[in-house]
Amino acid sequence: MMVREKVQIKKIDNATARRVTFSKRRRGLFKKAEELSVLCDADVAIILFSSNDKLFHYSSSSMEEVLERRSLHSKNLEKLNQPSLELQLVEDTNYANLSKEVAERTLHLRRLRGEELQGLTIEELNQLEKSLETGLSRVVAKKGEVIMNEIHHLHEKEVKLMEENDNLRQELLKISNARKRIICDSGDEGVSSESTNICNSAGTPQDYESSGTSLKLG
């Protein structure tokens, strides 16, 4: 079975072959356009100019009506894409107002930093000074509030550490008393007098931070 070779799409150099191909392809194109119009109920218009500037055209209805519809459709699209004059004016006004407000606020911030003070009157300078004093007092108040919060937090931490220290001291005291009871309950005759004294002092609270006494067995 012979396989048809795919025609390479490029300009045909031979003028006669080019005219023959143009004629065949043009008729095929017009036929496809007619089929599209009938099958899909569409208005189709095709305009062709050959290489020697000869005009060919096809239209499923009136060519003038199709071209007029196309022109009208393009104008409608342009109107939809272009905002109305009234809306454009509103947007321009809003943009101008925002730009002016940004410029004023930027100048005010620069003057608060001590820049661009030339041209200000005494009254304007006094108002600027009051604004700076008010802002400074708020900063100082906020700073004091932060410092007090930090002090309160450190105090709570200190109380918590002291409680933990007391708990550890109590645990050490319990362990020491338990060791003394073990020595007293052993009944070993070899226990020294020093150990006897330890037994007599069992259960007596002692400060283990200052105590350096060690236990010895005879």
Side-chain angles (χ1 to χ4, degrees), residues 126-140:
N126 287 334
Q127 292 178 354
L128 183 60
E129 183 180 7
K130 289 180 181 179
S131 298
L132 291 172
E133 290 175 352
T134 303
L136 180 60
S137 62
R138 291 175 181 174
V139 171
V140 172

Side-chain angles (χ1 to χ4, degrees), residues 25 62 110 147 152 159:
R25 294 294 180 106
S62 172
R110 289 177 179 174
I147 292 175
H152 180 69
V159 172

Side-chain angles (χ1 to χ4, degrees), residues 146-160:
V146 173
I147 292 175
M148 292 303 297
N149 290 336
E150 288 291 334
I151 293 174
H152 180 69
H153 177 69
L154 292 174
H155 179 69
E156 290 180 346
K157 191 183 245 185
E158 180 185 7
V159 172
K160 185 176 180 181

Side-chain angles (χ1 to χ4, degrees), residues 92-119:
D92 292 342
T93 303
N94 292 337
Y95 178 78
N97 292 335
L98 288 174
S99 299
K100 181 180 179 181
E101 184 177 357
V102 169
E104 291 176 352
R105 291 182 180 274
T106 302
L107 179 60
H108 182 67
L109 289 175
R110 289 177 179 174
R111 287 175 174 174
L112 288 176
R113 293 197 299 263
E115 302 173 0
E116 299 188 21
L117 301 178
Q118 61 276 12

Side-chain angles (χ1 to χ4, degrees), residues 53-137:
D53 206 23
K54 188 175 180 180
L55 172 64
F56 299 89
H57 64 85
Y58 165 82
S59 177
S60 58
S61 59
S62 172
M63 177 63 75
E64 289 76 10
E65 292 180 359
V66 175
L67 294 177
E68 185 178 354
R69 285 180 60 186
R70 189 268 176 192
S71 178
L72 181 62
H73 182 69
S74 299
K75 292 179 180 179
N76 290 335
L77 288 178
E78 291 177 359
K79 289 181 179 180
L80 290 175
N81 293 331
Q82 292 178 353
S84 64
L85 179 60
E86 182 179 357
L87 180 60
Q88 187 68 36
L89 291 175
V90 172
E91 292 179 352
D92 292 342
T93 303
N94 292 337
Y95 178 78
N97 292 335
L98 288 174
S99 299
K100 181 180 179 181
E101 184 177 357
V102 169
E104 291 176 352
R105 291 182 180 274
T106 302
L107 179 60
H108 182 67
L109 289 175
R110 289 177 179 174
R111 287 175 174 174
L112 288 176
R113 293 197 299 263
E115 302 173 0
E116 299 188 21
L117 301 178
Q118 61 276 12
L120 294 179
T121 62
I122 296 296
E123 183 179 357
E124 290 173 339
L125 290 172
N126 287 334
Q127 292 178 354
L128 183 60
E129 183 180 7
K130 289 180 181 179
S131 298
L132 291 172
E133 290 175 352
T134 303
L136 180 60
S137 62

